[in-house]
Amino acid sequence: MNHMPYLPILHADEHLIVVDKPAGLLVHRTSLDAHEDLNALDALRAQLGEDGPPHLAPAHRLDKGTSGLLVFTTRATAARELGQAFDQGQVQKRYVALVRGWPEEHIEHDQPLARDPELPSTGQVQLPARTTFQRLGRVEWPFQVGSGHTSSRYALVEARPETGRRHQIRRHLKQLSHPIVGDATHGKGPHNRAVAAWLGGVQRLWLHAAELHLPHPAGGQLHLVCPPGPAWQQLLEQDGWLEKPAL
């Protein structure tokens, strides 16, 4: 029997509850992953118990593999207002990711994306999408993936999506030939497996929602920060970093 995970609560008021979602947990039940029972919405409801808010709902999406800041609303009015804020680009988001290769120090990428990442892009409506990337640190590890090189290069990057397309950061990094490590859909399996083995069997999508600036339903701005967890610290403790970023 699966047990509901405990979600650290980072902020709570009469309009919002913000948690640190672990990697590998769905936000809510979905037909796209019909065999998965565990999800953050049910876990938080169980955690809050009978005295919890009756109108608890996620205000935005995080991929199952992504860890970090997840905002729930506790009132219908808050859900409507925050939903509009996310849709209209009024929420500033910052992520960190481990990617294959050494990207340029700063990248502004605005290649359109097909609406549905689960289907072939050909024939789909292409939607505007823009993400800025900042390289935070580079590392070279002494294992070989494929032929031609006896070591493998990776980088830690900061991603700031200015639009909210599904899998936007993951798809934009794939377009740039710097896919996120651990991305089974848009990444490279040999690199995913090699890094997992190098880190002692840690298998996850290396993408973390670290910071949000959003308009609070009661007025003013709310600034939320969620430092990456122990797995990221283990990542930085490995030898081979040319520039070791502070998380």
Side-chain angles (χ1 to χ4, degrees):
M1 179 178 179
N2 293 327
H3 296 284
M4 285 292 181
Y6 173 81
L7 301 179
I9 294 177
L10 306 179
H11 174 89
D13 59 41
E14 60 184 4
H15 301 275
L16 306 174
I17 298 176
V18 184
V19 304
D20 178 2
K21 185 186 85 68
L25 183 66
L26 289 170
V27 171
H28 54 72
R29 293 179 183 270
T30 172
S31 59
L32 297 176
D33 201 343
H35 300 292
E36 180 58 74
D37 293 328
L38 297 181
N39 63 86
L41 178 58
D42 288 346
L44 186 57
R45 282 174 174 157
Q47 191 170 316
L48 296 175
E50 295 181 358
D51 295 331
H55 300 293
L56 193 67
H60 60 118
R61 300 185 302 269
L62 279 185
D63 293 337
K64 179 181 180 180
T66 305
S67 59
L69 289 165
L70 178 61
V71 181
F72 290 90
T73 56
T74 59
R75 297 182 175 188
T77 53
R80 182 171 58 252
E81 292 174 15
L82 261 190
Q84 292 174 349
F86 275 98
D87 291 343
Q88 296 172 4
Q90 298 173 10
V91 179
Q92 298 176 33
K93 297 169 276 189
R94 182 176 70 87
Y95 293 75
V96 291
L98 179 70
V99 304
R100 190 191 71 173
W102 289 354
E104 296 178 15
E105 187 172 354
H106 182 77
I107 300 172
E108 297 182 3
H109 190 67
D110 59 1
Q111 186 168 332
L113 294 171
R115 184 183 299 276
D116 190 344
E118 308 293 336
L119 300 174
S121 295
T122 303
Q124 286 199 61
V125 174
Q126 300 293 305
L127 304 174
R130 179 179 175 83
T131 313
T132 60
F133 298 98
Q134 186 72 33
R135 194 183 71 218
L136 302 176
R138 295 176 296 166
V139 67
E140 186 165 2
W141 285 324
F143 55 78
Q144 184 173 346
V145 180
S147 59
H149 299 281
T150 58
S151 61
S152 298
R153 293 178 172 183
Y154 303 94
L156 201 69
V157 301
E158 174 186 275
R160 294 181 180 268
E162 298 177 19
T163 48
R165 309 306 175 202
R166 189 160 169 243
H167 294 188
Q168 177 173 318
I169 296 172
R170 296 163 61 184
R171 295 160 76 190
H172 269 175
L173 284 166
K174 178 183 178 180
Q175 290 173 351
L176 292 166
S177 299
H178 295 291
I180 297 176
V181 176
D183 191 336
T185 303
H186 307 290
K188 297 291 184 180
H191 283 274
N192 297 346
R193 292 188 290 273
V195 172
W198 177 252
L199 296 176
V202 177
Q203 297 186 5
R204 60 158 294 166
L205 173 69
W206 288 96
L207 180 63
H208 178 79
E211 190 171 1
L212 288 173
H213 287 264
L214 53 86
H216 195 283
Q221 291 285 318
L222 182 62
H223 178 208
L224 301 162
V225 177
C226 181
W232 293 84
Q233 299 304 323
Q234 177 187 347
L235 183 75
L236 294 182
E237 289 170 2
Q238 302 297 313
D239 293 333
W241 286 93
L242 280 72
E243 314 99 5
K244 184 179 290 189
L247 293 180

